[in-house]
Amino acid sequence: MSNHTYAEGHASLAELKAGQERWLAGQARHAHQDAARRAELATIQKPFAAILSCIDSRATPEIVFDQGLGDLFVIRSAGAIADRVVHASLEFGIHVLQAPLLVVMGHTDCGTTNAAIAHADGADPLPGHLTVFTDAVTPFVVPDTGDPKKRAWDTLTAHVKSIVEDLRGLEPLVKARVDAGQLLVVGAIYELATGQVHWLDESAA
Ligand SMILES: [Zn+2]
């Protein structure tokens, strides 16, 4: 960890948390979703955060953080798994557009977590190209101690934390911004049943 304060990243995080609270309280503002905002952004974008999240239709970053056009640079893949195309997309948001915060957001009851746990317990890997997901998540499956909910949570959080660590060290462009204190990278879990975002890093809690 460097001595930099990631001041911009923390300001962005505060913005996301405020939007989350509004949405949870049923007081979403739905700001930045009108023609004036569209016009403002016609030739420029400056999103204040990048978010890598799952493709699940119930875990939509712009909605759960109450943000609008141009606010968030969002990349979505199943289980928030990051391959080369995701890395390049992140570099666009972080190096080119200079978003000061990257959130890696998994969610409860994720199909990739569930498939990986089933696979670890002996089920066949997913068919077709879907094997990419069981391959990526199965190494993080924790032992069965008789509490399926906890097992899924622990597997999911271990997987998200590993993505966070990988991305903090992603050479050359992302790591350079982390090392310079210009990019804060945090993990989060969106809870489908409650709408709550749980922050995984102490620095973000
Ligand atoms: Zn998912």
Side-chain angles (χ1 to χ4, degrees):
M1 211 61 176
S2 77
N3 294 321
H4 297 286
T5 56
Y6 303 95
E8 265 196 272
H10 282 290
S12 291
L13 189 58
E15 196 70 37
L16 287 185
K17 287 180 175 178
Q20 234 282 287
E21 280 177 27
R22 288 195 301 272
W23 188 67
L24 277 175
Q27 293 170 348
R29 288 202 299 235
H30 306 291
H32 294 170
Q33 299 182 16
D34 55 8
R37 179 64 166 175
R38 187 177 68 229
E40 191 185 324
L41 295 170
T43 59
I44 193 169
Q45 59 169 327
K46 185 82 179 143
F48 70 82
I51 299 188
L52 170 59
S53 70
C54 186
I55 54 176
D56 194 291
S57 63
R58 301 163 291 179
T60 305
E62 288 89 343
I63 292 177
V64 308
F65 291 117
D66 188 28
Q67 302 299 322
L69 288 177
D71 292 330
L72 305 179
F73 184 88
V74 177
I75 300 137
R76 299 178 71 172
S77 69
I81 292 163
D83 66 359
R84 208 161 154 257
V85 174
V86 169
H87 287 167
S89 302
L90 282 167
E91 286 180 346
F92 187 78
I94 289 160
H95 175 77
V96 180
L97 299 180
Q98 307 206 325
L101 172 69
L102 167 61
V103 178
V104 178
M105 190 170 83
H107 66 94
T108 55
D109 203 25
C110 184
T112 64
T113 310
N114 296 342
I117 289 172
H119 181 46
D121 288 349
D124 287 340
L126 294 173
H129 293 290
L130 294 168
T131 51
V132 167
F133 308 138
T134 28
D135 287 350
V137 186
T138 304
F140 299 97
V141 174
V142 301
D144 185 4
T145 55
D147 183 344
K149 214 173 160 186
K150 182 176 188 312
R151 191 185 189 200
W153 177 268
D154 289 349
T155 299
L156 173 67
T157 53
H159 182 229
V160 169
K161 285 177 179 177
S162 88
I163 299 169
V164 167
E165 279 313 305
D166 287 350
L167 294 179
R168 281 178 181 149
L170 181 65
E171 303 259 20
L173 301 178
V174 174
K175 183 176 187 301
R177 289 192 65 84
V178 171
D179 289 348
Q182 295 167 323
L183 174 69
L184 179 68
V185 187
V186 298
I189 304 294
Y190 176 71
E191 193 177 355
L192 289 184
T194 63
Q196 178 106 39
V197 172
H198 301 265
W199 301 97
L200 297 182
D201 303 67
E202 272 177 35
S203 61

